[in-house]
Structures are given as C-alpha cells and as structure tokens.
C-alpha cells in the first residue's frame, strides 16, 4: 500500500505513518516498518533488546514508538539504564524538568540500583525523591533499604533510617513502635524514645503502656468519648438547617441507635474509638426526630456522607451539611 501510494516519507508525519499500519502486522514487521522510515529509532530498539524486553503485542511496540517520537533521548536513556517500567510510563515524561534532572542524577549515581529495580514505578520514584534527605548521594545499601521499605521509611529522618539499619530493626516494627509511643503520648522529639539503646526492651515497655491505656479506654469508653467531643459540641451545638437537625452525637448509645436505624457499621468498625483517637468526627442529620444520614469528617472535610444502608444522600442534605460546615468551628486531626 505504501509503495502503491508513492508517499514521500521524508514529508510524512508520525500520525500519517501510523495510518498505514494494518491489523495483520506482526510485532517484527511492525518494528521493521518503523525502523525503515525512522532510522534513528534503531538506537532505542538496540537498548530495548539489550534490556531483554519482550513485546507481548503490537500495541506495546506502537506505544514505545509513539513515546519515542516525542521523547527520543529520554526514552532511549531510560532503556539504557534498564528502567523498563519508567520508559513506558507517559506521565514520567510530563514531570517538571527539575524533577527529571533530580531523577537522572539518582539514576546515573546508582546504575546498579536501576538494573536491580528495572520495574521501578513513577510512584516509587516520587517517594524516593520527595524524602527530606538527599537520596542521590546515599550509599547503595541505604538506598536499597529505603526503596524496599518505602511505605515505612518515607516519613523518617536519615538519622532514624541509619539507626534501624545499624540495629537490624525491621522497618515495619519501628513504625509500630513509633505509633505506640505516640499513643502513650511520649515526647517524640526526645532521642530517648526515638533511638532506644535496647529496642526490644523499650518496645515491650511501650506495648505494656499502650495495653493499659486501651484497657482503661475500654472501661471508660463512654466517658472518654464525651470528653473528646465536648469541645466540638460546645462550639457547634445542635442546629436546624433547611428542616434538618444537624448535631454531633454526645454518647456512644446515640451512635448505636443511629447505626441500628440506618443499618450502618458505626459500631462494628468502632467509630467511637476513631473519634477518641481524634482520627475523625461524626455528625448526624435527623428530620422530625428520625435519623436520616451520617457524616464522617476528617481535617474538616467530608470523607463519607451516607443515608440508610450507605445509600447516597440527597442534594438538599448536601446543601444543608455544607451550610453547617461553613459555620462550624472544627479542628479534627
């Protein structure tokens, strides 16, 4: 068809060339097709072949070629570094030049890391580059540890990472330890708690403290719940808006009643405990004394707002709730 139409390929755009593709083309013929008319594409193909990439479908080679027409040097560079997943991630190429410069410094400084983690994703790369310390100049063992435990290490300081590596502490264990220390209300700026000399013994001590705290909370849950919400209720007493009574429940019994009437998981998922831990705040809507909907707030924003059996609320409920939020004086962690 190409020969028949006598197309001058030096004047043919990428999109025009794609129009000549046919459904019966094999992966090999499609690759040869691109290489014949875009000879510089061969350098990227060579890098792909060296990285032992297998094309599963013609769509995959077409996608690579499409990216190459826009970002030839970048995609060739990523394949030469064995970063095969990033190479086909279009969002990576759209990142800011500063982000990509920092990423390139990381890649060139840690080529063995790139080969080991050829399937590095954009989310993982963002996690590495958005840390508070300079990952580019880390030694490879430390970078490897951070990447392997990114979920737990992304919010740690370099000093904390060095501490857990030196003491052979699992990153998830240290994360649990920190959360328990916060639960026990210890000063987390104090090195005594951040870097214990004997991690295992300190962990046992903190776990015992938290166990006692939770035992006390279970025994005094109603009292603690009211103490938690009292400050919110004083600033935001029950009010009627557009025919709906909107209020913060004062007791766990009130939450149980709401859960039963609306077939919601407020008790089963222990929302009173979430409120006590200052993770959220519950706000109820009633009309003529009948429970209508439950709203969960976090950081002063609506996370969930549902009617019976978690069905969607009506538009007038949304309007009333947003009016209440505009006037509300809240600070939920």
């Amino acid at each position: 068809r190409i020969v028949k139409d006598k197309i001058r390929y030096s004047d043919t755009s990428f999109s025009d060339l794609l129009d000549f593709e046919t459904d019966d083309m094999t992966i090999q013929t499609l690759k040869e097709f691109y290489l014949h008319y875009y000879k510089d594409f061969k350098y990227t193909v060579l890098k792909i072949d060296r990285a032992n990439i297998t094309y599963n479908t013609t769509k995959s080679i077409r996608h690579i070629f499409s990216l190459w027409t826009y970002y030839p040097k970048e995609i060739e560079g990523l394949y030469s570094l064995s970063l095969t997943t990033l190479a086909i991630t279009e969002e990576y190429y759209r990142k800011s030049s500063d982000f990509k410069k920092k990423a390139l410094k990381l890649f060139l400084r840690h080529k063995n890391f790139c080969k080991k983690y050829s399937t590095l994703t954009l989310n993982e790369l963002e996690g590495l580059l958005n840390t508070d310390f300079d990952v580019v100049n880390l030694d490879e063992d430390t970078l490897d540890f951070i990447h392997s435990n990114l979920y737990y290490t992304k919010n740690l300081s370099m000093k904390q990472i060095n501490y857990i590596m030196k003491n052979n502490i699992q990153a998830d264990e240290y994360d649990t330890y920190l959360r328990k220390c916060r639960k026990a209300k210890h000063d987390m700026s104090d090195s005594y708690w951040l870097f214990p000399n004997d991690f295992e013994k300190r962990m046992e001590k903190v776990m015992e403290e938290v166990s006692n705290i939770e035992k006390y909370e279970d025994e005094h849950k109603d009292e603690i719940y009211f103490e938690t919400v009292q400050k919110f209720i004083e600033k935001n007493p029950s009010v009627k808006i557009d025919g709906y009574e909107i209020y913060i429940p004062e007791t766990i019994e009130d939450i149980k009643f709401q859960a039963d009437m609306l077939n919601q998981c407020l008790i089963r998922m222990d929302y009173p405990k979430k409120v006590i831990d200052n993770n959220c705040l519950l706000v109820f809507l009633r009309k003529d004394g009948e429970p209508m909907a439950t709203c969960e707030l976090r950081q002063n924003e609506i996370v969930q707002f549902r009617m019976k059996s978690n069905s969607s609320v009506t538009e007038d409920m949304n309007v009333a709730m947003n009016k209440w939020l505009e006037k509300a004086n809240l600070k939920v962690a």
Side-chain angles (χ1 to χ4, degrees), residues 47-54:
K47 299 292 191 305
I48 294 170
D49 291 341
R50 284 174 189 166
N52 295 318
I53 301 301
T54 301

Side-chain angles (χ1 to χ4, degrees), residues 46 56 58 66 113 116 119 162 228 240 252 325 333:
L46 285 172
N56 295 320
T58 54
S66 174
F113 174 84
K116 185 176 181 180
T119 56
N162 287 333
T228 304
K240 219 168 191 182
I252 295 177
L325 279 173

Side-chain angles (χ1 to χ4, degrees), residues 141-306:
D141 287 341
T142 305
L143 181 62
D144 186 44
F145 180 83
I146 292 170
H147 172 264
S148 300
N149 299 279
L150 194 57
Y151 179 82
Y152 300 108
T153 58
K154 59 185 176 182
N155 295 318
L156 298 181
S157 68
M158 197 66 245
K159 191 174 180 181
Q160 287 174 296
I161 290 171
N162 287 333
Y163 166 77
I164 58 180
M165 287 183 67
K166 181 180 177 180
N167 290 278
N168 295 317
I169 300 168
Q170 296 295 320
D172 57 341
E173 280 186 35
Y174 187 69
D175 179 73
T176 300
Y177 167 75
L178 293 179
R179 287 189 287 105
K180 297 298 182 182
C181 282
R182 294 187 192 102
K183 174 72 176 177
K185 301 192 183 301
H186 291 306
D187 181 4
M188 298 315 294
S189 64
D190 189 341
S191 60
Y192 176 85
W193 295 106
L194 287 176
F195 312 108
N197 292 328
D198 189 326
F199 178 77
E200 294 298 330
K201 283 187 178 179
R202 190 68 56 78
M203 180 70 147
E204 287 178 14
K205 179 182 177 182
V206 172
M207 291 292 282
E208 185 179 350
E209 289 177 342
V210 171
S211 177
N212 291 333
I213 290 169
E214 290 175 345
K215 183 179 179 182
Y216 177 84
E217 286 179 347
D218 287 340
E219 293 172 354
H220 301 81
K221 203 167 187 178
D222 289 322
E223 179 186 338
I224 296 171
Y225 173 82
F226 179 73
E227 288 175 358
T228 304
V229 299
Q230 188 176 17
K231 59 182 179 291
F232 298 118
I233 294 171
E234 288 173 356
K235 294 176 182 177
N236 304 279
S238 174
V239 65
K240 219 168 191 182
I241 300 178
D242 298 343
Y244 293 102
E245 180 191 359
I246 303 178
Y247 70 99
I248 299 166
E250 296 185 13
T251 67
I252 295 177
E253 196 57 43
D254 195 4
I255 297 173
K256 285 180 181 176
F257 180 73
Q258 181 93 346
D260 289 342
M261 294 299 291
L262 298 184
N263 189 29
Q264 293 176 337
C265 62
L266 301 175
I267 299 300
R268 180 164 50 85
M269 298 303 293
D270 205 356
Y271 271 84
K273 180 72 164 53
K274 293 180 183 180
V275 173
I276 288 170
D277 289 341
N278 206 30
N279 289 327
C280 72
L281 185 67
L282 297 177
V283 181
F284 290 170
L285 268 73
R286 290 189 179 179
K287 194 167 190 177
D288 300 326
E290 181 183 349
M292 298 299 294
T294 301
C295 183
E296 178 189 355
L297 300 176
R298 289 184 200 168
Q299 295 180 337
N300 305 349
E301 293 184 358
I302 295 174
V303 178
Q304 295 187 83
F305 191 18
R306 300 292 180 184

Side-chain angles (χ1 to χ4, degrees), residues 82-188:
S82 302
L83 293 166
T84 55
T85 297
L86 272 182
I88 58 172
T89 305
E90 192 168 354
E91 291 79 8
Y92 169 79
Y93 302 102
R94 295 175 182 164
K95 300 294 284 186
S96 69
S97 58
D98 285 344
F99 178 89
K100 288 190 285 187
K101 281 179 184 176
K102 191 174 180 182
L104 185 58
K105 285 181 181 178
L106 175 69
F107 301 151
L108 294 177
R109 174 76 170 77
H110 297 283
K111 291 184 179 180
N112 288 334
F113 174 84
C114 295
K115 288 179 181 178
K116 185 176 181 180
Y117 296 106
S118 60
T119 56
L120 183 76
T121 66
L122 181 57
N123 283 340
E124 290 172 334
L125 177 60
E126 288 173 329
L128 288 172
L129 296 183
N130 290 336
T131 50
D132 292 332
F133 41 83
D134 181 14
V135 291
V136 173
N137 293 312
L138 292 177
D139 64 85
E140 197 160 312
D141 287 341
T142 305
L143 181 62
D144 186 44
F145 180 83
I146 292 170
H147 172 264
S148 300
N149 299 279
L150 194 57
Y151 179 82
Y152 300 108
T153 58
K154 59 185 176 182
N155 295 318
L156 298 181
S157 68
M158 197 66 245
K159 191 174 180 181
Q160 287 174 296
I161 290 171
N162 287 333
Y163 166 77
I164 58 180
M165 287 183 67
K166 181 180 177 180
N167 290 278
N168 295 317
I169 300 168
Q170 296 295 320
D172 57 341
E173 280 186 35
Y174 187 69
D175 179 73
T176 300
Y177 167 75
L178 293 179
R179 287 189 287 105
K180 297 298 182 182
C181 282
R182 294 187 192 102
K183 174 72 176 177
K185 301 192 183 301
H186 291 306
D187 181 4
M188 298 315 294

